[in-house]
Amino acid sequence: MAYKLCHFNDIPEGESKGFTANGLALFAVKKDAELYLYKNECPHLGVNLEFQEDQFLDMDHELIQCSMHGALFNITDGLCISGPCQGDELAAIPWKMDDGYVYLTMV
Ligand code: FES
């Protein structure tokens, strides 16, 4: 079963957006016209990452940031490069695009 999340253009370049699909908390980041989708769960303590709705990025919008203890993650591969869970990764979630819309392919 595929869950429609949003239109690809609903997420501006350099921004992030949170979703809940089938009880699963997720977020997407658009960078350089590519979309990256992750489970909204910090590998440090398993909490949601954002400090405000749809705010998953650091001030420069170059990295994903956990609001709890400040862990920083690459947008492109979810690897934690700084913080208490350095070396761990966010869980990437498979998705597909169909007619401009972003769909979860597995939940
Ligand atoms: S819970 Fe995310 S850095 Fe601690």
Side-chain angles (χ1 to χ4, degrees), residues 12-25:
E13 172 64 33
E15 299 291 342
S16 56
K17 185 171 178 57
F19 302 95
T20 302
N22 200 27
L24 190 65

Side-chain angles (χ1 to χ4, degrees), residues 27 38-49 64-66 68-69 71-73 77-92:
F27 69 98
Y38 295 104
K39 193 172 177 183
N40 184 3
E41 186 177 286
C42 181
H44 181 214
L45 293 182
V47 301
N48 293 352
L49 288 100
I64 297 162
Q65 184 169 34
C66 178
M68 188 67 80
H69 307 110
L72 294 168
F73 304 84
D77 62 8
L79 177 69
C80 180
I81 58 165
S82 171
C85 46
Q86 189 168 346
D88 290 343
E89 294 178 3
L90 296 168

Side-chain angles (χ1 to χ4, degrees), residues 5-6 11 15-21 24-29 37-40 48 50 52-56:
L5 293 180
C6 65
I11 305 174
E15 299 291 342
S16 56
K17 185 171 178 57
F19 302 95
T20 302
L24 190 65
L26 310 165
F27 69 98
V29 182
L37 186 64
Y38 295 104
K39 193 172 177 183
N40 184 3
N48 293 352
E50 75 271 39
Q52 282 179 8
E53 189 177 356
D54 297 333
Q55 303 297 312
F56 291 86

